[in-house]
Amino acid sequence: MAAVVAALLLLLSPLAMQSAAARSKPLPVVARVSKDSSTGLYLISVRNYDANPVVLDLAGPLLWWPCSGRQEQEHPILCSSGTCHVANRNHPPNCPYIDGGRPGSPEPSCHCTAYPYNPVNGKCGSGVLTWEWLSANTTDGQRPLYPVSFRAVASCAPDDLPFSSFPELFPWQVQGRQPPSSRYPYPGVAGLSRSPLSLPSQVAAELKVSSKFALCLPHVAIFGGGPVHIPGSADDVETVTDHLSRTRLLRNPRNSAYYIDVAGIAVNGARVALPDGALTLDATGQGGVALSTVTPYTALRPDIYRAVLAAFDAVTAGFPRVSEAPNKPLERCFNLTVMNQMGTWTGSLPVSVDLMLADGKNWTFTSLSATDEVVPQTLCFAFVEMGAGTAAAYAVPDSPAVVVGGHQMENNLMEFDLKKGVLGYTGLMFDQRMGACSNFNFENGLGR
């Protein structure tokens, strides 16, 4: 009897009640992000029963991966459902429809067909829309707490849709590495766009958390809002979300990607001369400045790129250049060995590139973001010319003027507020005397 009373007292103790209350309160979830050095792609593992990571696609509207035949048969979504209509809102460009599976069909045996799109090589396919179980760890913004599972809608995909080929300008081409295996290394995509069937939208709906998510590439993603703590900063600035600048996100009627309102571009503080409206997102969905996690470096339309490169050349004229760049898309490179011998190398190139936002703020890419040491002792300007067949052409297919790439977004906490249509950003965290994204504490929990 005494043991029973003791157990009851323990259950009713403030600590136990606090723990139960904490578990009943909706909490954001955290997932570890990694970067594949051979492709520059960012990866996340969220599927139950399958630890293989999928590619993060900031502009992607869906979750998709190959499914077993059994899963397609047991968990399909019907054509008559509203979910089927949503999945078919943004049909991939140049992707043929197949017979059957159309949204709105009243046939009770009609299973919804979705059209997953591979943002790396521009291929598309068709597959049954189905239910999938996902899992992640809840978080207080400082560390993982406990695991949760939740249902999500995902599209099945043909076995040959995932990453079997890679376009021009992936880091393995720049760095002279062997390309990835002909067999695809990753089985699918986790879309992060503002679409109702993206990963952040479904996490918010299923777990009853805020329609926000934070990315701190290349290490961590948090879905559901809340503070984000990055320990180890010089001034002990741990709650990084308290130090965000914010700007509005624009909507493109042709896709669900994230666009920002940019009025101009500056190099070392001097505005680059561009034609009026060069960066505008027009009413038809053409132009504008989009964000992409599957584009390694920021890509600019040729007329914009040439003007920015000329400005960059003017401010770096005194530095020794490499006679032949390691890879043609990265046109302007410098010899760090010679710069060391000349005494002109101080650890970074004195250059910055500003995206001059329409609200009067700047999103500044300082030297570590504006350049990249692509091979040892060779530092290159990390902006490229957009063109057919390049990574940016597939990542956001509706002819943007600029696609901000992964290199420029790394170690820059970005918070996407889907409900308000607002982007929060820190700029390069090293420049703000904050810790690196890799400092997020995955050790005090299960940290999947």
Side-chain angles (χ1 to χ4, degrees):
M1 182 68 180
V4 173
V5 171
L8 287 172
L9 289 173
L10 179 61
L11 287 172
L12 294 172
S13 69
L15 182 61
M17 294 173 68
Q18 183 180 15
S19 176
R23 287 196 175 229
S24 65
K25 179 184 177 182
L27 289 173
V29 294
V30 62
R32 193 188 299 270
V33 175
S34 60
K35 182 179 181 180
D36 184 327
S37 60
S38 69
T39 62
L41 296 172
Y42 303 100
L43 311 171
I44 190 172
S45 295
V46 291
R47 298 179 67 190
N48 269 7
Y49 318 116
D50 189 346
N52 289 320
V54 294
V55 172
L56 282 179
D57 178 13
L58 195 54
L62 289 171
L63 301 163
W64 64 259
W65 37 71
C67 299
S68 67
R70 180 180 176 187
Q71 183 184 12
E72 292 182 23
Q73 295 168 9
E74 289 187 354
H75 308 290
I77 289 172
L78 298 180
C79 299
S80 57
S81 70
T83 301
C84 189
H85 283 275
V86 170
N88 283 273
R89 277 182 188 167
N90 296 118
H91 190 82
N94 304 316
C95 190
Y97 285 94
I98 65 168
D99 292 335
R102 297 290 183 93
S105 171
E107 292 293 328
S109 60
C110 180
H111 296 167
C112 182
T113 297
Y115 293 86
Y117 174 78
N118 187 324
V120 171
N121 56 27
K123 293 182 178 180
C124 69
S126 61
V128 173
L129 199 65
T130 183
W131 287 105
E132 174 79 78
W133 280 97
L134 306 184
S135 63
N137 285 297
T138 59
T139 182
D140 57 2
Q142 301 185 61
R143 62 185 62 82
L145 298 176
Y146 53 87
V148 291
S149 293
F150 54 95
R151 282 201 322 170
V153 174
S155 174
C156 296
D159 287 343
D160 61 352
L161 181 61
F163 304 83
S164 58
S165 64
F166 292 82
E168 182 182 11
L169 189 61
F170 271 87
W172 59 263
Q173 292 171 303
V174 175
Q175 299 173 5
R177 299 174 179 170
Q178 290 297 313
S181 165
S182 59
R183 176 173 169 77
Y184 57 84
Y186 318 117
V189 161
L192 301 182
S193 76
R194 64 176 81 213
S195 160
L197 297 183
S198 71
L199 180 58
S201 294
Q202 295 200 71
V203 168
E206 288 292 315
L207 299 182
K208 312 302 180 189
V209 292
S210 175
S211 295
K212 294 180 181 180
F213 71 98
L215 281 182
C216 205
L217 298 174
H219 294 288
V220 61
I222 293 179
F223 302 96
V228 177
H229 302 271
I230 305 291
S233 57
D235 292 330
D236 204 32
V237 180
E238 293 191 359
T239 309
V240 181
T241 38
D242 290 343
H243 301 270
L244 296 175
S245 297
R246 289 184 167 82
T247 192
R248 71 182 179 124
L249 290 165
L250 304 181
R251 285 186 178 273
N252 187 327
R254 298 166 64 100
N255 61 50
S256 56
Y258 298 103
Y259 286 73
I260 54 176
D261 196 359
V262 178
I265 299 176
V267 175
N268 276 16
R271 186 166 185 155
V272 177
L274 297 174
D276 289 344
L279 303 170
T280 300
L281 176 64
D282 67 25
T284 68
Q286 300 293 305
V289 178
L291 310 179
S292 170
T293 49
V294 296
T295 304
Y297 301 109
T298 292
L300 303 97
R301 199 174 59 209
D303 58 318
I304 300 170
Y305 174 75
R306 288 294 149 195
V308 171
L309 183 64
F312 176 82
D313 285 345
V315 300
T316 58
F319 295 91
R321 294 177 182 168
V322 175
S323 57
E324 185 174 348
N327 184 281
K328 184 180 181 300
L330 293 176
E331 282 193 61
R332 197 65 74 236
C333 299
F334 302 88
N335 189 318
L336 298 187
T337 301
V338 175
M339 290 170 68
N340 273 316
Q341 293 169 351
M342 295 172 58
T344 57
W345 178 240
T346 60
S348 63
L349 204 64
V351 66
S352 64
V353 176
D354 292 318
L355 296 183
M356 305 170 68
L357 304 176
D359 58 13
K361 304 183 186 77
N362 285 346
W363 185 358
T364 300
F365 305 127
T366 54
S367 180
L368 289 176
S369 296
T371 61
D372 190 20
E373 189 172 353
V374 295
V375 295
Q377 296 301 302
T378 300
L379 188 76
C380 295
F381 184 48
F383 291 74
V384 299
E385 185 172 4
M386 195 183 299
T390 61
Y394 299 128
V396 186
D398 290 301
S399 303
V402 177
V403 177
V404 179
H407 179 71
Q408 278 70 36
M409 292 190 281
E410 287 188 2
N411 286 301
N412 174 0
L413 182 73
M414 298 179 298
E415 181 188 72
F416 296 80
D417 188 325
L418 279 60
K419 186 176 181 180
K420 294 182 178 179
V422 171
L423 171 69
Y425 61 95
T426 59
L428 189 66
M429 290 164 63
F430 303 137
D431 294 334
Q432 314 300 323
R433 300 180 65 82
M434 301 176 187
C437 293
S438 59
N439 288 0
F440 185 84
N441 182 12
F442 276 106
E443 302 305 318
N444 289 351
L446 298 179
R448 177 172 175 171

